[in-house]
Amino acid sequence: MSALPSRALTLSGERLTATYLLTGDAATAREKAEDLCLEQTVEFPADLLPPGDIPDQVVGRLLDLQPAGAGAHRARIDFAVETTGGELTQLLNVLFGNISLKPGVRLVGLDLPLGLLGRFRGPRLGAAGWRERLGVPRRPLLCTAVKPMGLPAADLADLVYQFALGGIDLIKDDHGLADQPFAPFRERVARCAEAVARANRETGEACIYLPNLTGPADRLHDNARFAKDAGAGGLLFSPGLGGLDVMRALADDDGLDLPIMSHPAFQGSLVVEPTAGIAHGVIFGQLARLAGADATIFPNWGGRFSFTREECVEIIAGCITTMGEIKPILPAPGGGMTLSRVPEMLETYGQEVIFLIGGGLHRAGPDLVAGCRYFRRLVESMGG
Amino acid sequence: MSALPSRALTLSGERLTATYLLTGDAATAREKAEDLCLEQTVEFPADLLPPGDIPDQVVGRLLDLQPAGAGAHRARIDFAVETTGGELTQLLNVLFGNISLKPGVRLVGLDLPLGLLGRFRGPRLGAAGWRERLGVPRRPLLCTAVKPMGLPAADLADLVYQFALGGIDLIKDDHGLADQPFAPFRERVARCAEAVARANRETGEACIYLPNLTGPADRLHDNARFAKDAGAGGLLFSPGLGGLDVMRALADDDGLDLPIMSHPAFQGSLVVEPTAGIAHGVIFGQLARLAGADATIFPNWGGRFSFTREECVEIIAGCITTMGEIKPILPAPGGGMTLSRVPEMLETYGQEVIFLIGGGLHRAGPDLVAGCRYFRRLVESMGG
């Protein structure tokens, strides 16, 4: 027995609910669920806890446990909002910190109460805000990536100019463009932002350039400010590389006032194994939104990656499901997308989507401006 | 065909080498390896690249491909150091950014050239530095965690005092202690640091308190400074929650001058599936070191988690393998460790280890000071 003191706690009674898919028969799953309730909160042997509010309120509570297909069960567990301290990093920790280290546990659902959601501002623009800034009320938005790595900044800027002239709405850096000597960050951002501005003057449109913000955490804010001052209209950020809460801080920066596209680099291990990690809709939808993404990039089904159509549909749901005042955001499927996929993608995504075509635009031929215009007309002609 | 220009690049010729375990027969593995060379660099169709240095130097190169057990192959691939821009986030991206999204690819080896290693300072203290600060030249270091969540700061500080009086070397916050109303960050840190100082005055030892640094990215630096000023002698940080490069920035902060223990929360999905993610020794050893961790916490085999002894041995190797001027660090196995495991752990870890016992210390009985003294004598008597 331990000699820990029993203290009465003052709690709001608000609780967040997480749903986990647990591998195992009913007895194994129950054991896993009960372990999870401790592991994600007090991380302490149940029999050594002082009686009272810690075991009764602070430890997670198993609400129900149901069979979920062969050899798996679904557990709904709730946690006092106070366990999160109202902070994103600790919310992530409560949801999936230590338990990520145990096999056969997947976080598949998330329901946050209003009191906790109110601690987060979420995306700056959200789906409607993009449309307003771009002046595109209805059709799918068109996005492409500046690449390949290795081209000098002037060549990349020339590509940007052609994309913008061709009617692309959002031109992002490839997420692998960092501060390489081929095209250093500041030179690249200045040239590409200038190229978009020049094209916008010619077209009368409001195309946005989004540099990839990466690099040292202690220089990130200065780099973001540089991008803003240079004329970038948004940022690309990979929370798997840089941190979800770092993205949240960028989104919350009113001095910056820039929308963010979130890129899934280095987050794949969270989703690729169906019995572990976090479900697609939770990590690329709900949590990306909570962390301030205005759009969430992910691999479309049937491209170079292995996501299924169902997993993409889950991400759509995560982008729009009600989360208090947190705005809905736009899914941005990419990863080997081609123009021939547009009709099929319109069927699944509808108009509330960003079509991200990278290499596929170059495939259409050497005249990039013409290729972009064709892409734009194709989307406009199909109900946009 | 595309119309991208061919440009000559000036490259150092230094290349980093990564080894991947690829699921599949020889043909499949070769296809995966060749795809990886593109995906992790130019992310562009090979046939559309301009001829010259981009395909020849910037795209990754498959060095060799060997069978590695049933249904898997091992591919060694090298990349020009320039692709990383000398930055940790982009290094992570080159090693495992997009490819994390494809199943059946595991990063199992990492060999960084001196030119790239020289861009990183690594751990501030490393293994030898801990011993110097603590005045413990040889035996394993003893560590415990302050918990459970829910106790008020005064009670937690009282635990800290007892641990320090009992001869524990390193007392860390539980990684789930954030800024909860039960024990707000600043109050907790001030009280716990004071408790350690008081105990050190009585014992004449140099026990170190390491608060858990979590919470908003934009307040992290202020919180770290607060902890330092309050008397914390180190920091606990979870790079899976807060970002590996954020940890690197904390480690590099000379004004702070605090050693860091890295906690694996939220990083489990990287390791739990043996055919995906990143090998234990790479993520918890080499990459933790590169990102400034002075000690790396992970679940010991045979505790509450599922790591095997072999995986723990890989982590030991990652802690000490030669990496230029980057110091060796201490492994800190925990996660359900008990006093009865000490002999077996000494056999595997030797003296260069931090024994992390949390709940197990409370299990020994209500007299925590006596429990800690017993733990200390046990370790000292066994060859320390």
Side-chain angles (χ1 to χ4, degrees), chain A residues 103-124:
Chain A
V105 180
R106 184 169 175 96
L107 173 65
V108 295
L110 180 59
D111 191 5
L112 304 179
L114 291 177
L116 184 56
L117 287 167
R119 301 290 293 261
F120 298 95
R121 291 170 61 175
R124 179 164 289 273

Side-chain angles (χ1 to χ4, degrees), chain A residues 92-93 96-102 240 266 269-270 277-278, chain B residues 92 96 106 175 237-245 247 261-273 276-280 282-285 287-289 291 293 295-299 307:
Chain A
L92 296 172
N93 186 44
F96 203 62
N98 267 9
I99 210 70
S100 73
L101 293 151
K102 299 187 180 182
F266 210 78
S269 304
L270 288 169
I278 302 182
Chain B
L92 296 173
F96 203 62
R106 185 171 175 93
H175 80 284
F237 191 79
S238 300
L241 300 171
L244 268 165
D245 194 65
M247 183 165 81
M261 293 189 87
S262 174
H263 191 284
F266 210 78
Q267 289 184 303
S269 304
L270 287 169
V271 298
V272 288
E273 296 289 341
I278 301 183
H280 297 70
V282 176
I283 187 71
F284 296 130
L287 289 175
R289 267 168 90 187
T296 183
I297 297 172
F298 59 91
F307 285 25

Side-chain angles (χ1 to χ4, degrees), chain A residues 7 39 43 47 82-83 87 89 97 100 147 155 174-175 180 214-215 217-218 245 248 266 268 304 363, chain B residues 7 39 43 47 82-83 87 89 93 97 100 147 155 174 180 214-215 217-218 245 248 266 268 304 363:
Chain A
R7 306 287 187 205
E39 191 72 56
E43 207 190 328
D47 62 313
E82 285 82 0
T83 60
E87 295 176 343
T89 41
S100 73
K147 52 186 174 182
D155 289 339
D174 198 32
H175 80 285
Q180 290 98 347
T214 174
D218 32 1
D245 194 65
R248 196 269 319 145
F266 210 78
R304 299 197 307 277
R363 180 73 67 199
Chain B
R7 307 286 186 206
E39 191 71 56
E43 205 190 331
D47 62 313
E82 285 82 0
T83 60
E87 295 177 344
T89 41
N93 186 43
S100 73
K147 51 186 175 183
D155 290 339
D174 198 34
Q180 290 98 347
T214 174
D218 33 0
D245 194 65
R248 196 270 319 146
F266 210 78
R304 299 198 306 276
R363 180 73 67 199

Side-chain angles (χ1 to χ4, degrees), chain A residues 133 185 189 193 211 222-235 254-258:
Chain A
R133 288 215 180 170
F185 176 79
V189 171
D222 285 351
N223 282 347
R225 192 62 48 137
F226 176 87
K228 163 87 175 179
D229 292 345
L235 296 170
D254 289 327
L256 214 51
D257 184 31
L258 291 176

Side-chain angles (χ1 to χ4, degrees), chain A residues 122-143 169-170 172 208 210 235-236 247 259-264 281 283-286 288-290 292-299 312-321 326-334 345 349-356:
Chain A
R124 179 164 289 273
L125 296 188
W130 283 116
R131 295 189 172 287
E132 200 173 311
R133 288 215 180 170
L134 290 164
V136 179
R138 182 148 186 277
R139 65 166 166 79
L141 302 181
L142 311 187
C143 179
D169 302 301
L170 302 167
K172 71 171 189 67
I208 290 175
L210 302 100
L235 296 170
L236 179 75
M247 183 165 81
I260 295 174
M261 293 189 88
S262 174
H263 190 284
I283 187 70
F284 296 130
Q286 288 173 284
R289 267 167 89 188
L290 200 66
D294 296 279
T296 184
I297 297 172
F298 58 91
C312 295
V313 168
E314 283 176 25
I315 296 173
I316 302 175
C319 287
I320 57 177
T321 187
I326 307 283
K327 298 183 180 85
I329 65 173
L330 291 177
M345 289 175 72
Y349 292 98
Q351 306 292 324
E352 288 300 292
V353 64
I354 296 173
F355 285 142
L356 169 54

Side-chain angles (χ1 to χ4, degrees), chain B residues 109-245:
Chain B
L110 180 60
D111 191 4
L112 303 179
L114 291 177
L116 183 56
L117 287 167
R119 301 289 293 261
F120 298 95
R121 292 170 61 175
R124 179 163 289 272
L125 296 189
W130 284 116
R131 295 189 172 287
E132 201 173 307
R133 288 216 180 169
L134 290 164
V136 179
R138 182 147 187 279
R139 64 165 167 80
L141 302 181
L142 311 186
C143 179
T144 192
V146 190
K147 51 186 175 183
M149 182 197 298
L151 287 184
D155 290 339
L156 295 171
D158 188 51
L159 290 174
V160 166
Y161 177 72
Q162 295 178 67
F163 293 142
L165 215 56
I168 301 294
D169 303 300
L170 302 167
I171 303 171
K172 69 170 190 71
D173 280 346
D174 198 34
H175 80 284
L177 299 186
D179 194 26
Q180 290 98 347
F182 320 128
F185 176 78
R186 294 198 169 199
E187 183 194 352
R188 180 178 84 246
V189 171
R191 284 181 185 265
C192 292
E194 185 279 326
V196 161
R198 185 154 42 92
N200 281 343
R201 284 194 298 273
E202 296 177 36
T203 61
E205 302 213 331
C207 172
I208 290 175
Y209 165 60
L210 302 100
N212 178 37
L213 190 68
T214 174
D218 33 0
R219 294 213 301 269
L220 216 52
H221 188 266
D222 285 351
N223 283 347
R225 192 63 46 136
F226 176 88
K228 163 88 174 177
D229 293 343
L235 296 171
L236 180 75
F237 191 79
S238 300
L241 300 171
L244 268 165
D245 194 65

Side-chain angles (χ1 to χ4, degrees), chain B residues 13-52:
Chain B
E14 272 206 309
R15 299 179 73 87
L16 64 104
T17 306
T19 306
Y20 298 90
L21 190 67
L22 305 173
T23 307
D25 59 23
T28 307
R30 178 163 300 274
E31 197 181 318
K32 279 186 174 181
E34 288 170 356
D35 168 69
L36 192 152
C37 291
L38 292 166
E39 191 71 56
Q40 298 305 99
T41 53
V42 294
E43 205 190 331
F44 208 78
D47 62 313
L48 294 180
L49 288 173

